Amino acid sequence: MSHHRLEARDLSFSYPDGHEAIKNISFCIHHGESVGIIGANGAGKSTLLMLLTGLLFPGSGEVLVGDVRVTKKTLPMIRQRLGMVFQDPDDQLFMTTVYDDVAFGPRNYGLDEKEVGERVMKALDMVGIPHLKDRAPYKLSGGEKRAASIATVLSMQPDILIMDEPTAGLDPKSRRKVIELLKSFEHTKIIASHDLDMVLETCKRVMVIRDGQVAADGEALKLLTDAKLLDSCGLELPLSVQGCPVCSNHIG
Amino acid sequence: MLKSTQDIHRIDINNRETQGAALQPCPKNLNRDLILLMASAGDSFYNILHLDELARMDTSIHRVHPLAKLLVTVAFLVAVSSFGRYDISGLLTFFFYPVTIFVLSEIPAASILKRLLLISPLIVGMGILNPLFERQTFILGGVVLSTGWITFLSILIKGALTVTAALLLVATTGMDRLARALRMLGVPRIFVLQLLLTYRYISVLTEEVARMQRAYALRAPGQRGVHTRAWGSFAGQLILRSFDRAQRVWQAMRARGFTGDYNIGEDTRFKFRDFAYLSGWIFFFAVARIFDVPGFIGSIMTWLAKH
Amino acid sequence: MHMADALISPAVGGTMLAATAGVAAYSAKKITYDIDEKKIPLMGVMGAFVFAAQMINFSIPGTGSSGHIGGGMLLAILLGPYAGFLTMASVLLIQALFFGDGGLLAYGCNVFNLGFFTCFVAYQLIYKRIIRKGITSKKIFVASVISAVIGLQLGAFAVVLETLLSGKTELPFGTFVMLMQPVHLAIGIGEGLITAAVVSFVWKARPEILEKAAFGEAFGNISMGKVLAGLAIAALLVGGVLSWFASSYPDGLEWSIEKTAGTAELEQPGGIHETLSKIQDKTAFLPDYSFRESEGESGGEAEAVDTEESAWPAVSAGTSVSGIVGGLLTLALTVLTGLIIGGIKRRKRKAIA
């Protein structure tokens, strides 16, 4: 299954104002892996995701999806295989109804309306909101919006799901549902987030980014319990790993 | 709100409660605080929400093909506006159209009529000037009046009819289906897509303005409106945010394969029923335009009364 | 200053719709070929921005009141003329549909008055010329105010022309102009000042936005000749169509199907049409032509008073009563039909339940 592999080779990227956001990053993500990308604000997570999806092109280095290099030419094919879920659902849901939004991707690939319809309903079923199909995006709750924006990507039947802060701004119950949803997907997953508990639950592997470089790359449980590493990267232990406030007070 | 938290349940399509939620035409999922603010800050957003909700109802009128409804509306507007300025009796027949649509579509008349009261000041303003400037007079019940009053009355009636017809069109069709009708008429894709995007982001940006106004008002007590010194920065900030927003939307579109040419989806085929609806109304408008139906009825009635 | 359906005749509305469709199609084509598709979401979001910006109350110094902006000039400056025009067109369409501001028949007039004059005339001929040799705060200020004022003056004048040509009101041209222009001068100055403030802010914060709109794809692409040619064609079109109407209906610009149908049918012997139109002629409530006759005859003041009585043969007490009775009955019939349909619907629903 080599075509599901996602590889970054010596990626570097600078913004026009000279800020060097990504410095020489390399990694390889295999089929079926779930990888959390964590790091402080401004560490370069979002830039990295944009480089992976070809929304930005690297100054040097390359991104490979399977054996195909991400270039302007290969983009249409690559984008069908990489599904990117943006942080703000209001950016992702830009059509007037949920149905039209989920249909947007398939329609761009020239599928006939019947197949578009089938894909839309399948995607909505997967995230459990088929009844919301005719609803306008602004009438959805935060959790519903998140589910809908995930469906907009699923309808393109990607091999790899890339998500930017999938649990941001959700109430605890909605967050829980999104986590369960993510766990249920068999896709290769790349999840960038500050929600370290969610990362711990959904990802087996974690990459810690600091100042545009990979500070650590390894098993999630190991890295997310390394207080020293996390602290040096502007992070802290996930709450579930920290001691219980009641018990630890007693012990302390 | 309660129902919505259950909506993300995966694969529980059979869950009756979530299905029940889907059947309700307009769940109140919106931030109430926001609605309050909108209502006070100018009701544009609230008005759009309301018409949007109405458009999601399911009645015989809602089911008519959007293109048929659009063409009927245009025919209605042409017929009504073709009346001369002293022609009132002929206009009255045209009330038949909005009344029928109101009843068949079950659109609450109050919501549309409220909007009528706010019709563009231009109509009333220009109308009311007529009695001042028209120098001819007529006699009604022994009182000599300027013919300008007739002009004024005909303008008001036309205003009521035309505004109601336009609002009824959206309230029974909705923006998304109307956009498809526009596409079928050959309106360029780029325009239709951009129209839909504008429609979609009105709610997002008004929300942003509402938050900004609130933050401003809290720090500027007693000020009426945004001070001259903050004119540029207040609206300017919003522009910068809008540009950033557009950039992100663009990325989201591109990530899903958008290349500038988008097919907004097809609507159902034009059925016999739609054709009948279209030709029926056009026939009615033509008859009502050419023959003075109220005058005819009136003369029969007065003739009957005399004999 | 939205033009309304109630004030317009189908001829004027149709002509302006055609002119608008032409300009819009040309702009859409321009954007598809010349400008990257990145502009589409930008246009969409900026259209929504205009709605949001209209919610902002700007306090107007010295008056104790507040106002809001129209946004046409701002769109032209930020997006360039083609994208600005299309964006304004979609803003106006949503306003016509959802708010009853303007109307669908008057839509062409409104896009022309508020979009064309700002984007293709004021922006093109004034704003761009002032800005051409480099942007400064002062230039932004002068250019914004002058172009906003001129754009709005042209728009207001177009409203006057469109209204008069439609013949739905009887305001003397001079009076109407004297009413519209000064009011819109004040509004234009306000709009210009706010536009200037906003544009300067954007220029200081993100100069590339303005440079892109002005010097990028939009600048240099439109030749003055093309703009003038477009205007000339529009003027010819409007003038041609209107003069055709004027000549085929000598009694003014009113599109009086009823009257022409009536006189034409009268010459034919017999038939239901004849009887119907005869009845109609007798019963017409305040028929059109009687006014017109008096208009034609009234040379002087004294004569006008004289003819007034004689020009009203049709409006005898009897016929005007029958007209009013007929009108009321029609309305009653309409309401009754509504009630009956409503009743049937309700019964059906009960039967289902």
Side-chain angles (χ1 to χ4, degrees), chain A residues 4-8 27-29 52 63-65 82 160 190:
Chain A
H4 284 182
R5 197 183 60 197
L6 178 67
E7 192 177 350
F27 57 83
C28 182
I29 293 169
L52 292 182
V63 177
L64 295 162
V65 178
L82 295 178
I160 302 168
I190 299 170

Side-chain angles (χ1 to χ4, degrees), chain A residues 90-92 134 144 177, chain B residues 5 7 56 201 248 256:
Chain A
D90 273 330
D91 296 337
Q92 184 116 22
D134 293 321
E144 289 168 341
K177 270 162 203 156
Chain B
T5 49
D7 287 344
R56 279 165 216 286
Y201 282 100
R248 295 195 302 272
R256 281 190 272 156

Side-chain angles (χ1 to χ4, degrees), chain C residues 60 77 93 149 153 201-202 206 226 257 281 293 295 308:
Chain C
I60 298 163
I77 296 172
L93 186 56
V149 165
Q153 286 294 305
F201 176 86
V202 172
R206 298 257 288 272
K226 268 190 185 166
I257 293 177
D281 275 356
E293 273 167 28
E295 257 170 56
E308 216 123 62

Side-chain angles (χ1 to χ4, degrees), chain C residues 84-133:
Chain C
F85 178 78
L86 285 182
T87 307
M88 202 59 202
S90 68
V91 167
L92 289 167
L93 186 56
I94 293 175
Q95 284 179 341
L97 286 171
F98 285 83
F99 307 115
D101 278 343
L104 291 180
L105 200 63
Y107 175 65
C109 294
N110 285 319
V111 176
F112 225 80
N113 301 350
L114 297 168
F116 183 82
F117 291 122
T118 45
C119 294
F120 288 104
V121 181
Y123 174 79
Q124 206 62 28
L125 303 186
I126 299 159
Y127 184 88
K128 238 172 67 176
R129 300 215 137 190
I130 299 177
I131 295 297
R132 187 163 47 181
K133 285 187 189 139

Side-chain angles (χ1 to χ4, degrees), chain A:
Chain A
M1 298 289 258
S2 70
H3 60 282
H4 284 182
R5 197 183 60 197
L6 178 67
E7 192 177 350
R9 283 186 194 157
D10 306 320
L11 278 188
S12 293
F13 181 82
S14 301
Y15 281 98
D17 62 359
H19 170 63
E20 213 181 342
I22 298 293
K23 301 169 194 160
N24 214 19
I25 283 184
S26 297
F27 57 83
C28 182
I29 293 169
H30 297 280
H31 174 63
E33 264 195 300
S34 49
V35 183
I37 295 182
I38 60 174
N41 287 333
K45 300 188 300 288
S46 294
T47 311
L48 181 59
L49 294 191
M50 285 202 263
L51 286 171
L52 292 182
T53 45
L55 289 171
L56 293 176
F57 287 101
S60 66
E62 58 185 5
V63 177
L64 295 162
V65 178
D67 302 315
V68 184
R69 202 173 150 216
V70 177
T71 61
K72 277 222 161 102
K73 249 190 190 162
T74 58
L75 263 188
M77 193 268 277
I78 298 270
R79 285 199 173 130
Q80 231 173 335
R81 296 170 53 184
L82 295 178
M84 167 91 177
V85 180
F86 287 70
Q87 181 172 348
D88 184 352
D90 273 330
D91 296 337
Q92 184 116 22
L93 304 172
F94 42 74
M95 299 299 285
T96 34
T97 64
V98 171
Y99 184 98
D100 279 338
D101 251 316
V102 180
F104 186 85
R107 279 178 185 157
N108 277 328
Y109 284 98
L111 300 179
D112 67 68
E113 208 50 27
K114 194 172 155 250
E115 198 181 343
V116 170
E118 283 164 10
R119 284 215 191 181
V120 170
M121 289 323 290
K122 200 175 158 203
L124 289 176
D125 274 345
M126 278 175 86
V127 296
I129 55 165
H131 55 286
L132 297 179
K133 75 178 164 69
D134 293 321
R135 199 77 67 83
Y138 60 79
K139 288 233 189 88
L140 304 177
S141 68
E144 289 168 341
K145 272 190 190 172
R146 185 65 62 176
S149 51
I150 294 174
T152 64
V153 164
L154 291 179
S155 65
M156 295 175 67
Q157 304 185 340
D159 306 317
I160 302 168
L161 280 178
I162 301 180
M163 314 219 184
D164 196 356
E165 292 287 3
T167 51
L170 296 184
D171 61 47
K173 279 251 166 73
S174 306
R175 171 179 172 273
R176 175 51 49 198
K177 270 162 203 156
V178 169
I179 292 177
E180 295 307 323
L181 191 59
L182 293 182
K183 277 164 119 178
S184 73
F185 291 149
E186 284 162 11
H187 305 75
T188 306
K189 283 174 296 232
I190 299 170
I191 301 172
S193 184
H194 291 308
D195 182 351
L196 302 185
D197 291 279
M198 180 268 290
V199 172
L200 189 58
E201 266 191 76
T202 54
C203 301
K204 290 228 169 67
R205 175 178 161 194
V206 159
M207 268 195 273
V208 188
I209 309 286
R210 180 179 52 199
D211 297 331
Q213 286 170 309
V214 179
D217 182 353
E219 203 188 315
L221 197 59
K222 199 174 137 216
L223 295 189
L224 286 173
T225 49
D226 186 341
K228 218 183 216 170
L229 169 77
L230 292 176
D231 188 59
S232 72
C233 298
L235 303 166
E236 61 174 20
L237 287 175
L239 292 175
S240 54
V241 178
Q242 290 177 19
C244 159
V246 182
C247 327
S248 51
N249 275 350
H250 276 293
I251 294 164

Side-chain angles (χ1 to χ4, degrees), chain B residues 23-64:
Chain B
L23 291 176
Q24 288 171 355
C26 41
K28 294 282 173 248
N29 245 340
L30 283 154
N31 184 345
R32 271 187 211 99
D33 190 30
L34 180 71
I35 290 181
L36 270 179
L37 225 122
M38 292 302 122
S40 63
D43 58 349
S44 69
F45 175 53
Y46 188 66
N47 192 55
I48 286 187
L49 289 188
H50 186 60
L51 287 176
D52 207 80
E53 267 178 21
L54 294 177
R56 279 165 216 286
M57 289 163 54
D58 187 29
T59 69
S60 51
I61 297 294
H62 285 79
R63 282 190 291 269
V64 173

Side-chain angles (χ1 to χ4, degrees), chain C residues 163-181:
Chain C
T163 310
L164 290 179
L165 289 176
S166 293
K168 301 294 163 184
T169 66
E170 177 108 340
L171 301 184
F173 175 77
T175 322
F176 200 1
V177 168
M178 284 313 290
L179 270 172
M180 289 292 278
Q181 306 304 127

